[in-house]
Amino acid sequence: ALIDAYVAAIEEKHEARLTWLGHMQWIAMAVMILVFALTLLWLTRRVTQPLAKMAVAAEKVKQGDLQVRAPEAGAGEIAQLGQAFNHMVAEVALGIEALEARVSEKTLALTQNQRSLELLYRTKQRLSDQEPNQATFEQVLADVRALIELEHAAICITETEQVPLAGRDAQHV
């Protein structure tokens, strides 16, 4: 009877310890699930969401929107990646602006050159088709004035050794 009582006491003590160990396992499992959930939440906020926003920003840049900016918040390297992305987009925007300015400048120069060549061609045609007279000089002067937008202009004709003077005239407008 004493041995049975002793064995029963040992069994009760072991059962109490097993029950306590079971509770501790459940508590440990709950803590692990909580840590896992908090880790997922942290990863989502600090890594996944900033990367998804950067992907959206990259797509917008691909479509030509250079005003978009990526988030610079995130975990270490993610923040650095956002800053580098934003710096790159700003540099691309500046490069495009510079290229557009150069294209505009070159277009203006080409337009001016074309107008100058057209003026030279018209002037050559007018002066070579017939003997120059007052009307011819007035047309040439009007063309020059229109091209270079002058308020006052004059054409002075002088004699050369090769061509006799067709007429001495100065036209002021």
Side-chain angles (χ1 to χ4, degrees), residues 157-166 168:
I157 303 170
T158 59
E159 231 176 303
T160 64
E161 295 176 14
Q162 300 164 346
V163 179
L165 181 61
R168 242 173 241 262

Side-chain angles (χ1 to χ4, degrees), residues 31-44:
V31 168
M32 285 183 1
I33 289 173
L34 181 64
V35 168
F36 181 72
L38 291 174
T39 302
L40 284 179
L41 181 65
W42 182 84
L43 282 173
T44 300

